Amino acid sequence: MKIEKTNAVRMLDKGHAHYSLVPYECDESDLSAARVASMLGEDVERVFKTLVLRGDRTGIFVCVVPGDSEVDLKAAARVSGNKSAAMVHLKELFPLTGYIRGGCSPVGMKKRYPTYIHSSCTDFDYIYVSAGKRGLQMKIAPQTLIEFTGAVVAGLIAG
């Protein structure tokens, strides 16, 4: 099966990053990380979702958190140098990133935004993040993703 290259994949290839692509059957009615994890046969803690937020001081930034978690907006604001932060509206996602909901990758957005990844990523030798479209994940070492995106490792979820 030929996999169409996304912007994220092109950028990783250009940077000679080590990763693998894992296609899965996408269900438009259930874009949850839990469903993606079950399709991949992996624990949901390894499947990270990419969230785009707007801070009151710094503007747009990205948080990458475990799929079974919610981002703690206060923690996200604090680590990003903001007093408050909120998720961007869905209609803003594509114009800001070039990606759609359920296919937003932390790699290869239209612009390079400050990126923060939850500290649990370092518990694993590999994690999954979207490869830039629905139905395609990339399996990547957390350290590779951190280095490639310039992500800051931080506590981003409640609890």
Side-chain angles (χ1 to χ4, degrees):
M1 171 177 137
K2 175 140 175 43
I3 297 173
E4 174 192 337
K5 285 199 173 184
T6 63
N7 204 34
V9 171
R10 282 189 288 275
M11 289 188 76
L12 287 169
D13 286 349
K14 188 176 174 189
H16 306 291
H18 183 72
Y19 69 95
S20 56
L21 292 175
V22 184
Y24 65 95
E25 189 68 38
C26 180
D27 177 353
E28 302 288 328
S29 68
D30 183 1
L31 299 173
S32 70
R35 182 171 187 295
V36 173
S38 75
M39 295 300 296
L40 299 175
E42 292 282 358
D43 292 330
V44 71
E45 298 85 31
R46 278 189 192 263
V47 178
F48 281 63
K49 57 189 176 186
T50 304
L51 306 172
V52 182
L53 294 86
R54 177 177 283 111
D56 65 331
R57 294 181 177 165
T58 65
I60 303 300
F61 66 99
V62 176
C63 288
V64 183
V65 299
D68 60 343
S69 309
E70 293 297 319
V71 68
D72 178 331
L73 294 175
K74 285 185 173 76
R78 195 169 42 254
V79 301
S80 64
N82 290 285
K83 269 195 161 172
S84 65
M87 299 285 289
V88 299
H89 291 286
L90 192 55
K91 68 180 190 306
E92 295 179 278
L93 188 63
F94 185 77
L96 286 170
T97 66
Y99 294 126
I100 60 171
R101 180 175 170 262
C104 189
S105 178
V107 178
M109 291 186 182
K110 284 183 174 179
K111 203 176 149 201
R112 191 168 176 132
Y113 297 111
T115 301
Y116 304 88
I117 188 165
H118 185 62
S119 54
S120 67
C121 73
T122 60
D123 296 345
F124 304 107
D125 53 345
Y126 65 88
I127 59 171
Y128 292 88
V129 294
S130 174
K133 69 180 201 175
R134 293 176 182 168
L136 190 61
Q137 291 280 306
M138 63 175 72
K139 181 178 178 179
I140 190 166
Q143 199 55 44
T144 302
L145 184 64
I146 290 163
E147 289 167 11
F148 204 84
T149 59
V152 173
V153 177
L156 296 170
I157 59 176

